[in-house]
Amino acid sequence: RGIAVVLAAALFVVGFAAVASASGQDAWTVAGIAPVTGEYSGIQILEAMRLASVHLNKQWGNGSLWPGCNISVSDVDSEGIPDIAALKCFKEALLPRPPSMFVGGRRSDVTTSVALIGRVTQTPTLSYSATSIGLTGLSRFARVVGSDGLQAQTILGFMCALKPGWREAVAITASTDYASSLVIALRAMADVQGVSVSLEQHVSIAASSLHDTLVSINLALDRVVKRNNRVIILNDEPADARLVLSEARRRGMIGLDQPPDSPYVWIGT
């Protein structure tokens, strides 16, 4: 958790500096957007933003790089729901002292809603984890992670560097909107690279019981074994990914229990 906080803080510092350095403004209020309540707790993301603001105020505000720098972070709980995030950001923008920038949200669908509010209110939006291709090119929007298109190019490039016969992969993902953007990008680029990507879906732990989720995951892994695909692309939320990897390890599809002549290659997004 500590590493995640430090990394998120570092990304925030870089992104914030890029937006703020050209404005000449000294006092900034940043609306940090993360799902504090709901199926996923992103409180560590907000902790990272506050840590980054302390670093900026201390290291830059007292020096010559950004004299008088004073950044404060206000928490916005998106609850992981796009409409709620948009409504709360719009309310923030109507305050007597509105935020200088929106930072968030965690998922692409939430970030899209926040970015649209940012365009209406002329508030820059910076995302720390949204990867959807649909966000590319939006005005007043920037992100510190690669888009799904960039991830797809990297994954396919890695596959092409594997054994010549390993040009077929299977993407394992929950049956949610989370994976759709990357899978679409992979399939669109795969033919050009001479790679085929099939899809196996399982129910998400967020939408079902643990038992039903594990049954669904094992059925997906059964189909992977029958396909004889050796390259597996795992594109899941952290809670689902942990279950998939745990079941795959139990079945001998990960680690030293694999056949040395034909191991599975796992690529995580």
Side-chain angles (χ1 to χ4, degrees), residues 83-204:
D83 290 345
I84 291 178
L87 179 59
K88 289 184 176 182
C89 287
F90 189 69
K91 289 181 177 179
E92 289 279 323
L94 295 178
L95 293 174
R97 292 192 62 183
S100 306
M101 182 170 61
F102 296 134
V103 179
R106 191 180 73 89
R107 294 204 320 259
S108 292
D109 55 351
V110 174
T111 302
T112 300
S113 295
V114 172
L116 292 175
I117 295 298
R119 292 178 64 185
V120 171
T121 61
Q122 297 188 344
T123 306
T125 301
L126 173 68
S127 174
Y128 46 79
S129 62
T131 59
S132 173
I133 297 175
L135 290 164
T136 303
L138 285 182
S139 61
R140 296 181 177 272
F141 174 79
R143 52 184 161 196
V144 293
V145 293
S147 70
D148 285 329
L150 182 60
Q151 291 190 67
Q153 287 179 346
T154 304
I155 291 170
L156 294 173
F158 180 75
M159 282 189 61
C160 291
L162 296 174
K163 294 181 179 180
W166 287 5
R167 293 300 178 91
E168 295 183 358
V170 56
I172 296 181
T173 180
S175 52
T176 63
D177 293 337
Y178 172 80
S180 60
S181 181
L182 178 63
V183 172
I184 291 172
L186 276 171
R187 286 179 162 175
M189 300 178 185
D191 289 341
V192 179
Q193 300 285 349
V195 175
S196 65
V197 179
S198 56
L199 177 64
E200 290 294 347
Q201 292 186 307
H202 62 83
V203 298
S204 173

Side-chain angles (χ1 to χ4, degrees), residues 45-75:
I45 297 171
L46 298 175
E47 291 175 352
M49 292 185 196
R50 285 190 285 271
L51 176 63
S53 66
V54 170
H55 172 80
L56 283 173
N57 291 338
K58 180 179 179 181
Q59 299 297 324
W60 291 7
N62 295 329
S64 59
L65 183 59
W66 194 356
C69 167
N70 183 17
I71 301 170
S72 59
V73 178
S74 63
D75 297 351

Side-chain angles (χ1 to χ4, degrees), residues 203 210-220 222:
V203 298
L210 176 60
H211 175 268
D212 289 346
T213 302
L214 291 177
V215 169
S216 179
I217 287 173
N218 277 284
L219 289 174
D222 286 341

